[in-house]
Amino acid sequence: MKANRLRPVVVALAAVTLTAVLTGCEKGGSATGSASGSTAGSAAGSAAGSAAGAGAGTGASAKPAASTAAATPAGATPSAVPSAASKKPSAAPPATSAATAAGCSDEPPTPDEVDPDELALFRIEEIDGVTDKVNLVIQHGVWGCPGKDTDGAPFVVTGEDSRWAMDQAAYVTAVTPITDSTENRRIGVQELIDWVDAHPDSGLVFRYETGDDGAIHRLEQVFTP
């Protein structure tokens, strides 16, 4: 009899316990759901806030660009940076004269510039007490630049007379105007003396060679047009 009376009590207790467990589970589920909902809401709110902040930031930074674009007139183009080719060229070096380029000069030469093999003959003088030599009165010089009205270049002299002994038996050749030829012809020393005496200070140009005694032993006139 006691056993039968205990069964309803045990069943009642089991039902109460089950109810408590279920109630606890429901409460736990509600708490979990609330926590999850809160977390999701917070995340959504944060994302929305971030998006709103980003949009606000974008709008603020766009304003200067818009104002810059507005400051530039429509259709205007920015000034181009000058290239290297557009820069002002450096000054060109001074051009050399035609005389310098041609290697000639119309100025009297210095002693270091004179032609060592040619001279201009002006006069011939006898040497007192010497019968085998005569003095040629000469000037040294160099060939200048051709003139506009001549075919040849002038012989530019130093302007100072010098005297140089020439052997009476020297080998001498001449062209026009001493002879009537443009090709060298041999003449005697006396014939040369006679012509120079008749035409002093002519300045005809001769190429010369000296002998062992230092006197001129060969004299050849240079033809000039």
Side-chain angles (χ1 to χ4, degrees):
M1 291 294 292
K2 292 181 180 180
N4 293 332
R5 291 178 179 177
L6 291 175
R7 285 180 181 175
V9 175
V10 172
V11 171
L13 290 175
V16 171
T17 301
L18 180 60
T19 301
V21 170
L22 292 175
T23 302
C25 289
E26 289 178 359
K27 290 182 178 180
S30 299
T32 303
S34 300
S36 299
S38 299
T39 303
S42 299
S46 299
S50 299
T58 304
S61 62
K63 288 182 179 180
S67 61
T68 303
T72 304
T77 57
S79 59
V81 178
S83 63
S86 65
K87 293 181 180 179
K88 184 178 180 181
S90 58
T96 57
S97 64
T100 303
C104 59
S105 174
D106 291 329
E107 299 294 329
T110 64
D112 294 334
E113 296 172 338
V114 298
D115 193 317
D117 302 318
E118 294 173 330
L119 52 81
L121 178 61
F122 290 90
R123 296 181 303 278
I124 299 177
E125 300 174 343
E126 295 182 358
I127 302 175
D128 294 339
V130 179
T131 58
D132 61 338
K133 291 180 176 60
V134 292
N135 266 342
L136 304 184
V137 181
I138 66 169
Q139 288 185 16
H140 294 283
V142 293
W143 291 103
C145 301
K148 295 181 180 179
D149 300 329
T150 60
D151 295 330
F155 192 73
V156 183
V157 296
T158 58
E160 297 182 359
D161 289 348
S162 300
R163 285 167 172 78
W164 205 320
M166 183 180 73
D167 195 284
Q168 286 273 24
Y171 180 90
V172 179
T173 64
V175 294
T176 180
I178 298 177
T179 67
D180 58 358
S181 174
T182 58
E183 296 182 1
N184 284 82
R185 292 180 180 177
R186 185 172 182 179
I187 61 174
V189 172
Q190 189 59 48
E191 186 177 352
L192 175 64
I193 293 173
D194 293 341
W195 190 93
V196 173
D197 286 345
H199 305 84
D201 300 324
S202 63
L204 295 180
V205 182
F206 289 82
R207 187 173 293 109
Y208 68 94
E209 295 178 10
T210 59
D212 295 337
D213 58 356
I216 295 174
H217 282 251
R218 189 179 186 95
L219 194 67
E220 298 179 353
Q221 185 184 351
V222 177
F223 172 73
T224 54

